[in-house]
Amino acid sequence: MAQGIPEDVMMNHSLVKELAEVAKDTALLHGIQMRIHETPNSSEVRNENTGIFNLNCSGNNNCIHVVFLQALAVQIHYNTLVDKISQDPDFLQEALASTIAVDDFTARLFRIHQQILKEGKSQSIVLGLNRSDYMLDQRDDGSTSLKQVEINTFAASFGGLSSRTPDVHRHILKVAGRLEDSHRILDNNPAAGLARAVAKAWELYGSERAVVMFLVEESQRNIFDQRYIENELWNRNIPTIRKRFDDVCKMGSLDQDKKLHIDGQEVAVVYFRNGYMPQNYISEQTWDARIMMERSMAVKCPDISTHLAGTKKVQQVLTRPGVLEKFFPDQSQVVEQIRATFAGLYTLDEGLEGDKTVEMGLAAPDRFVLKPQREGGGNNLYGAELFQVLQSVKGSAERMAYILMDKIQPTPVQNILLRRDAPLKISNCLSELGVFGAYVRQGKDMVMNNCVGHLLRTKSSEYEDGGVAAGVAVLDNPLLI
Ligand code: ADP
Ligand code: MG
């Protein structure tokens, strides 16, 4: 999304070095930090922050200002869409039928969803915190359009840290002599907006002593991102606790009213920041813990059906003709707004349509991305690898575990990425915009539905995949002109 940094700054090595030092210190001062790999569960050493910063924020032109506003504007509709999907068991069943036939993890989640439906949902309050990710598709003919990469309905991260990056980039720009540009960095506070929705769900649950439980990872490198939201809640006198699956296994229980208790405390809201990858479920007990939480009276963020609504297969099915119209009857403008952000997505189900997708992918592997039903980065396939895998699964049902997607092609922009243990050098960079959505529904009433901020991540174009946590991308800010 960037126009990059001016020639004079790029050429001035001593200025770049000085700005890098200023950037690291300012990031520390503002609490933009991540624990290091070596000690992910202790804050004794915490200098990974130096590895997650772009030295210069991404500059831009008018056209990009327009697409930025477009991404913010469509967010409440995406919130509504995800929520509607989560309430449509027939749609989920049909959309995911082929996937669950071959993908064990999705199948297992789907079985939990069915079990909960059968037993009857015990909680009518729904809390959704999601992040829709986009890239700019910039074609040779000069056209520029905003295309969605995916929507994350589970454990969407960096709402905390991105609340603090604007001040850092403003400061760096000032030190670089670009005062005017520093004023163009937008305020951004997703942490506050996400916490507002959690607080609303907690309030509606209606028990002052009950806590918000963050269900956290074994390895807690990104704890600071979560702490911002925790602290926003504590500021409202809402108690929060952090527990792992293992704690829930050992200390969790449901009482006769299906209220969830952990270690003697009643839980009003379970905010999942872990549980989206097969490897998060290390034993049958872990699955039992997930089922117990799903069954409980606690508000789940997300609940199991909203989790499924965020799968890549659902994303593909939504691009079929008539599907959006079904969710938004008589709202053609909303349909158009959402559809405008869709990249081409193609089924690999068995049958003629899937056969055509295979042919198309094999004929031009560099034009596509092959995606399994996984989250968290590093699972997608590109180029030669895409060709190889597609070739090997094309004749079997296994291919239904994947979807094929048009590769979005942003124009790279030169910039300097500041990453831990990486030299300061000019790279061709690509940016990805994330937009945070937060909503609360009680029964049929949408009590809250907001766009609560954004995230810009920038990486070198030599990487196809990989986020900030993987050490590839850095936290950035749009510089809108
Ligand atoms: P995950 O759930 O693992 O985050 P994503 O679909 O978000 O999966 O893909 C991970 C990364 O791969 C994205 O952040 C983006 O950089 C890249 N990517 C994914 N889909 C596309 C696409 N259609 N075109 C270009 N890059 C993509
Ligand atoms: Mg992603």
Side-chain angles (χ1 to χ4, degrees):
M1 281 208 170
Q3 167 190 297
I5 42 183
E7 287 270 293
D8 56 325
V9 176
M10 289 232 228
M11 294 304 134
N12 186 340
H13 292 296
S14 62
L15 177 59
V16 167
K17 269 177 81 176
E18 187 201 333
L19 291 177
E21 290 308 310
V22 170
K24 285 187 224 173
D25 290 342
T26 314
L28 273 172
L29 280 173
H30 286 272
I32 299 166
Q33 312 185 41
M34 235 184 193
R35 286 176 175 166
I36 57 173
H37 282 291
E38 296 83 339
T39 51
N41 293 327
S42 122
S43 291
E44 282 159 35
V45 192
R46 43 168 116 151
N47 59 355
E48 184 85 2
N49 66 294
T50 60
I52 54 168
F53 224 74
N54 188 358
L55 191 52
N56 188 76
C57 34
S58 301
N60 249 309
N61 58 32
N62 269 335
C63 164
I64 289 168
H65 203 150
V66 171
V67 291
F68 179 76
L69 297 178
Q70 183 193 349
L72 299 189
V74 75
Q75 187 56 41
I76 57 165
H77 303 316
Y78 266 117
N79 292 345
T80 307
L81 177 60
V82 164
D83 188 48
K84 281 177 187 255
I85 296 169
S86 78
Q87 295 173 79
D88 192 335
D90 293 340
F91 172 79
L92 280 173
Q93 173 135 30
E94 208 183 310
L96 293 171
S98 57
T99 310
I100 60 185
V102 291
D103 185 302
D104 291 345
F105 182 62
T106 312
R108 186 113 202 212
L109 295 174
F110 191 77
R111 285 206 299 279
I112 297 176
H113 156 78
Q114 278 186 312
Q115 183 182 342
I116 300 297
L117 279 178
K118 207 169 113 206
E119 291 177 8
K121 291 191 179 184
S122 44
Q123 178 55 266
S124 72
I125 304 164
V126 169
L127 165 65
L129 304 180
N130 61 45
R131 199 190 68 220
S132 181
D133 291 336
Y134 304 90
M135 288 166 104
L136 272 189
D137 201 36
Q138 295 170 296
R139 297 287 161 161
D140 293 342
D141 62 8
S143 65
T144 295
S145 52
L146 180 79
K147 293 294 172 205
Q148 186 186 53
V149 174
E150 65 156 350
I151 188 156
N152 301 283
T153 63
F154 198 113
S157 58
F158 293 113
L161 296 187
S162 62
S163 302
R164 301 303 188 275
T165 55
D167 278 341
V168 180
H169 271 129
R170 285 180 189 128
H171 185 72
I172 300 164
L173 283 167
K174 283 184 199 166
V175 176
R178 293 169 62 189
L179 184 63
E180 231 172 86
D181 280 343
S182 79
H183 297 315
R184 295 201 172 106
I185 303 286
L186 303 171
D187 281 334
N188 189 31
N189 197 347
L194 298 171
R196 243 188 343 263
V198 179
K200 188 59 167 179
W202 178 85
E203 212 179 283
L204 291 172
Y205 181 90
S207 167
E208 253 180 37
R209 269 166 321 181
V211 302
V212 173
M213 176 169 79
F214 284 54
L215 198 282
V216 300
E217 318 90 309
E218 286 304 312
S219 165
Q220 303 188 31
R221 280 190 63 219
N222 205 11
I223 188 168
F224 298 105
D225 186 51
Q226 299 163 10
R227 289 285 198 210
Y228 284 117
I229 301 169
E230 285 177 48
N231 287 0
E232 291 277 349
L233 292 168
W234 279 107
N235 287 343
R236 294 162 188 261
N237 301 319
I238 299 174
T240 73
I241 57 173
R242 301 174 60 82
K243 298 288 175 194
R244 298 180 166 104
F245 270 117
D246 193 41
D247 302 317
V248 179
C249 294
K250 290 192 177 121
M251 299 181 287
S253 62
L254 296 188
D255 67 16
Q256 59 207 24
D257 302 324
K258 295 201 183 167
K259 287 182 178 151
L260 177 63
H261 296 267
I262 304 283
D263 203 14
Q265 286 177 298
E266 183 181 343
V267 178
V269 178
V270 180
Y271 176 24
F272 287 99
R273 292 290 297 239
N274 188 29
Y276 53 91
M277 296 196 270
Q279 56 268 38
N280 300 150
Y281 297 85
I282 49 170
S283 65
E284 279 306 304
Q285 283 76 27
T286 321
W287 282 109
D288 290 344
R290 174 78 191 262
I291 293 168
M292 180 173 69
M293 290 185 274
E294 291 297 335
R295 273 184 164 153
S296 77
M297 276 280 292
V299 180
K300 277 75 63 178
C301 178
D303 64 12
I304 186 75
S305 33
T306 308
H307 185 175
L308 289 170
T311 51
K312 292 176 170 75
K313 183 64 191 178
V314 165
Q315 184 187 5
Q316 178 254 307
V317 172
L318 287 174
T319 64
R320 286 185 172 286
V323 176
L324 280 182
E325 282 81 357
K326 180 180 118 51
F327 287 110
F328 295 98
D330 311 318
Q331 286 182 276
S332 58
Q333 234 189 326
V334 172
V335 168
E336 257 170 58
Q337 240 178 302
I338 295 177
R339 188 168 283 143
T341 64
F342 285 168
L345 283 139
Y346 312 93
T347 180
L348 280 162
D349 287 359
E350 284 175 319
L352 274 182
E353 209 186 334
D355 292 346
K356 263 177 69 185
T357 305
V358 170
E359 240 176 72
M360 195 170 71
L362 291 176
D366 290 329
R367 278 191 42 218
F368 301 98
V369 184
L370 184 63
K371 298 190 176 187
Q373 307 303 309
R374 292 291 173 272
E375 303 290 332
N379 299 297
N380 299 335
L381 300 158
Y382 305 83
E385 225 183 337
L386 178 158
F387 183 87
Q388 201 189 347
V389 171
L390 200 51
Q391 187 74 297
S392 75
V393 299
K394 70 175 185 188
S396 73
E398 219 189 311
R399 78 184 200 193
M400 303 193 298
Y402 298 88
I403 53 132
L404 193 74
M405 182 173 185
D406 280 344
K407 192 164 170 185
I408 308 167
Q409 297 180 331
T411 308
V413 166
Q414 291 209 321
N415 213 326
I416 299 170
L417 302 173
L418 180 56
R419 290 167 46 209
R420 185 189 181 198
D421 298 334
L424 285 173
K425 63 171 174 102
I426 296 167
S427 314
N428 285 320
C429 297
L430 305 178
S431 295
E432 187 168 345
L433 176 71
V435 179
F436 290 97
Y439 62 91
V440 178
R441 176 169 54 80
Q442 184 171 35
K444 291 201 176 328
D445 293 336
M446 214 35 152
V447 181
M448 185 184 262
N449 181 6
N450 296 319
C451 167
V452 297
H454 59 271
L455 162 75
L456 193 71
R457 290 171 296 172
T458 297
K459 65 175 164 54
S460 159
S461 62
E462 64 194 91
Y463 298 101
E464 301 274 21
D465 209 311
V468 176
V472 169
V474 301
L475 297 177
D476 199 353
N477 268 291
L479 180 63
L480 301 174
I481 295 169

